[in-house]
Amino acid sequence: MAASGRSREERWSLAGKTALVTGGSKGIGRAIVEELAGFGVRVHTCARGDAELQECLRRWGADGRLARVTATACDVAARGDRERLVAAAREELGGRLDILVNNAGQTMFRAATETTAEDYARLMATNLESCFHLAQLAHPLLVAAAAASPGGEASSVVNVSSIGGLVSYPALSVYSATKAAMNQLTRSLAVEWAQDKVRVNCVAPGGVRTDIVASSGLKLDPEVERKMWEAEMARVPMRRIGEPEEIASLVAFLCMPAASYITGQVICADGGRTIAA
């Protein structure tokens, strides 16, 4: 149903929806979990480290809005883990899935000539293969949720890529290739699944305040890191780094009935970085 046929409250509501969000224990993923849950969505999430997940669940449990968030330890690079994750989400969410957010990912700073086969395989499995396979696994649930929706709205897949899939950075060739592929996968699935009432969109963040660089294994002198960020921010018209909540708000919007005519889009949230000369 077109959003114009609904009240303003209905267009901007996610109450009663269910979602699976990957990589929800920190950074952008945690912000997405908290944003969706704050809108009344029942969220199931995952992360590789169970201890980290349990700490998140304890913290969320102390907040009434977030107390219903559930989680499963999962390495999205492993096919079996992905299958178990979707099975767990199906059980925790009562057999219904309205929203899939493919957020989990890794980065790797390494010259192309120094990248090993293992490096390449791991990044492809984590960033790209997981996105495709989880969408495959979730598809029947998303279709069923759309068919059962009393308002007639479509289900939603939101992939989280990066402006690295649109602009080029040194030492990020494999990472950037996975993100560019996610962008095209978004467009292809959007066309293929439109008749199934499943919308597929992608958010491409620019520099965001997370620990993804530290978790990549890259060790930088603090002064070198500071100068790198200053050089990058000089190319951002807004002259600042993004916050995880600013990405999460865009993800939430794309899942709402208010975004009912938006599919197949890759939307940059980058302070203007990709449009600056």
Side-chain angles (χ1 to χ4, degrees):
M1 179 184 292
S4 59
R6 314 190 68 189
S7 70
R8 179 177 293 106
E9 290 75 17
E10 290 172 323
R11 293 198 307 273
W12 293 92
S13 173
L14 287 171
K17 299 299 184 184
T18 60
L20 171 58
V21 179
T22 64
S25 66
K26 56 188 176 183
I28 291 171
R30 185 168 68 194
I32 293 170
V33 168
E34 294 175 356
E35 186 83 354
L36 292 178
F39 276 108
V41 178
R42 284 190 62 192
V43 181
H44 190 77
T45 190
C46 72
R48 284 182 296 170
D50 186 62
E52 191 173 41
L53 268 183
Q54 294 307 317
E55 176 56 34
C56 284
L57 288 171
R58 281 191 292 272
R59 186 175 62 254
W60 291 332
D63 185 328
R65 299 171 308 144
L66 308 176
R68 297 180 70 192
V69 175
T70 54
T72 301
C74 171
D75 181 353
V76 298
R79 187 175 186 88
D81 275 22
R82 296 192 295 262
E83 291 169 346
R84 286 187 288 273
L85 172 64
V86 173
R90 183 191 297 115
E91 181 176 350
E92 291 286 356
L93 300 175
R96 181 184 180 110
L97 185 64
D98 299 283
I99 297 163
L100 169 65
V101 181
N102 282 308
N103 164 76
Q106 287 184 320
T107 191
M108 180 182 68
F109 293 87
R110 193 158 301 160
T113 53
E114 298 172 5
T115 300
T116 67
E118 291 75 18
D119 292 333
Y120 180 89
R122 177 73 186 181
L123 221 59
M124 285 291 171
T126 302
N127 293 3
L128 180 58
E129 183 185 328
S130 71
C131 180
F132 178 72
H133 187 213
L134 286 168
Q136 277 187 318
L137 293 170
H139 180 260
L141 295 170
L142 295 165
V143 171
S149 172
E153 63 262 19
S155 298
S156 186
V157 177
V158 180
N159 299 321
V160 180
S161 67
S162 165
I163 63 169
L166 299 165
V167 298
S168 298
Y169 292 95
L172 282 175
S173 59
V174 180
Y175 172 81
S176 296
T178 65
K179 297 304 186 177
M182 286 175 67
N183 294 345
Q184 184 55 41
L185 178 62
T186 296
R187 291 184 281 261
S188 297
L189 291 183
V191 171
E192 190 170 332
W193 292 356
Q195 295 307 306
D196 296 332
K197 295 182 66 178
V198 178
R199 297 186 297 108
V200 187
N201 289 291
C202 187
V203 174
V208 176
R209 198 184 308 280
T210 73
D211 65 353
I212 191 170
V213 173
S215 65
S216 72
L218 180 67
K219 299 292 191 292
L220 290 176
D221 176 271
E223 183 63 16
V224 172
E225 184 174 6
R226 183 185 66 79
K227 289 181 178 179
M228 284 177 57
W229 275 113
E230 286 180 354
E232 177 65 12
M233 289 305 101
R235 303 185 69 178
V236 176
M238 292 182 72
R239 293 295 190 270
R240 68 173 177 86
I241 195 170
E243 300 296 338
E245 293 77 13
E246 293 178 300
I247 310 305
S249 62
L250 177 54
V251 171
F253 165 69
L254 289 171
C255 298
M256 289 179 175
S260 59
Y261 203 47
I262 302 174
T263 196
Q265 301 307 302
V266 178
I267 303 175
C268 295
D270 64 355
R273 170 70 170 82
T274 51
I275 53 89

